[in-house]
Amino acid sequence: MPRDVPRPVITEPDLPARPAAASERDVRTRNPVLVIRHGAFGDLLQADGALRDLREHHRDRRIVLLASSPYTRLMSRCPHVDEVIADPRAPLLQLGRNLALLRTLRERGFDRVYDLQGSDRTALYRRLMPEPSHWLRKQNPSDSGTPDRLAYAWMLAQAGIRVRHADAPDPGWMADDASGLLAAAGVPSNYIVLIPGSAARHVHKRWPGHTELARRLAELGHAVVVVPGPDELELARSLPATVLTAPEGFLDWFALAGVLRRASFVVGNDTGPTHLAAALGVPGLALFGSHTSVERTGIRMRAFDAMQVPDLAQLPVDVVLAEVMRRLPRR
C-alpha cells in the first residue's frame, strides 16, 4: 500500500471512537456509506473488487466497513474504505454488546447500506436501525453454485453502479515486500509454495499428500516453501521444505501475501492462504474434497484452478504432481 494513502480509522463499538489523527482526516465526510461484510478471510477477499467499485462510485463519500473483530486490523489497510467498525458478533442474548454496536451504527446516520453479508444477523440490524433511503442486500443462497463476487456484481449493477472490479478481486494492497525475508531464508527467485494445513477444526480439508509432493518437487529441482499458520507449525516442519516463520511463530497476513505474490506456483487446500494466492493472480492449484462446491468458493480466478475429488485421502500424489507440472510456468 502506498505510504501516502491514509490508513482507515478502526472503531471498536464498545469503546469511544478515538479522534482521527491529522494524517487520517479525509475530505470524504458527507453522508457516510456503510458496507457490511463480516468475514471470514476468504469472504473478504471475494468482496475486494466490490469495495473498489463502491469506492469509485462514491468518490466524495466516506465508506465505512463493518467487519468481524478478527479482521478489522487486516481491513484497515484496504485503500477502498475510510473506516472499519468492529462487529464482535456477540450472541444475541448479550444485549449490552449488541446495543453498543447498534448505537454506534445509528449515530452515524448512514443513508445507504450495502449488505454484502446477507445474513439473519444483518437482517436484524436492518430492523433495529433507522431505515436508510437505500439498503441493498446480497441475494445468494448458501446452496447456490454462484461465487459471492458474481452476486456482488449483480447487486451493484442493479443499483446503477458501474461494475468494473467486482468479479476480479485484487488485494495487492495486502502484500508487504517479502524480498528480505526470502533472501534471509536462502529461497531462490523461483519457488513453489505448498499450503498443507487448514484451521484445526477443518482437518477434513487437509490433503495428506503434501509431504510426498514436496519431496517429489525437490527431486525435480524445485525450491519448495511452506508458510504455516498458527495451527500448522508442527505439520509444516514435517515437510522437506523451507519453512518461513516470524519471531512470534508465524507470518502475519501482510508478510504471507508478500511471499505468495512472488511464488512461481502455489498448491494448497481449501483455506485462507490458498484463496489469497488465487486473488493475487498467482498460478496455482487448490485441492478440494466433497466438503463444499469449488464453484461456490470462487477460487478459480485468472491462472488459479482447482481439483475436486470425493475423498481427499484417496487423491494420488502422481495425479497432483502431473497437474502441477502441466500448469507450472516455464522458467
Side-chain angles (χ1 to χ4, degrees), residues 81-96:
V81 302
D82 304 297
E83 179 182 350
V84 183
I85 294 178
D87 187 344
R89 300 178 76 180
L92 296 181
L93 292 179
Q94 294 184 11
L95 295 179

Side-chain angles (χ1 to χ4, degrees), residues 131-299:
E131 185 69 19
S133 56
H134 299 277
W135 185 300
L136 303 173
R137 178 181 173 88
K138 179 197 73 174
Q139 302 295 331
N140 194 23
S142 59
D143 59 352
S144 83
T146 302
D148 272 344
R149 66 176 191 273
L150 293 182
Y152 301 149
W154 182 86
M155 169 184 163
L156 298 184
Q158 292 296 109
I161 295 173
R162 184 184 182 190
V163 177
R164 299 178 59 222
H165 309 290
D167 189 30
D170 181 14
W173 49 266
M174 193 185 300
D176 281 346
D177 181 3
S179 56
L181 172 68
L182 293 164
V187 177
S189 58
N190 291 305
Y191 58 92
I192 297 174
V193 174
L194 299 187
I195 303 173
S198 64
R201 65 184 183 278
H202 293 149
V203 293
H204 59 283
K205 295 183 178 183
R206 297 184 178 186
W207 178 55
H210 282 282
T211 300
E212 178 64 14
L213 179 63
R215 186 185 66 79
R216 299 278 292 276
L217 288 170
E219 289 176 351
L220 292 171
H222 297 283
V224 180
V225 169
V226 182
V227 189
D231 295 334
E232 305 153 5
L233 281 171
E234 185 175 349
L235 172 64
R237 288 173 177 148
S238 70
L239 270 68
T242 299
V243 180
L244 296 180
T245 58
E248 61 271 24
F250 57 94
L251 301 184
D252 63 20
W253 286 114
F254 310 120
L256 170 64
V259 171
L260 292 174
R261 187 163 64 172
R262 287 174 170 264
S264 299
F265 201 84
V266 174
V267 183
N269 302 324
D270 175 22
T271 187
T274 311
H275 288 265
L276 176 56
L280 288 169
V282 180
L285 184 67
L287 307 177
F288 281 75
S290 59
H291 59 275
T292 190
S293 161
V294 171
E295 287 71 23
R296 171 66 188 201
T297 67
I299 201 168

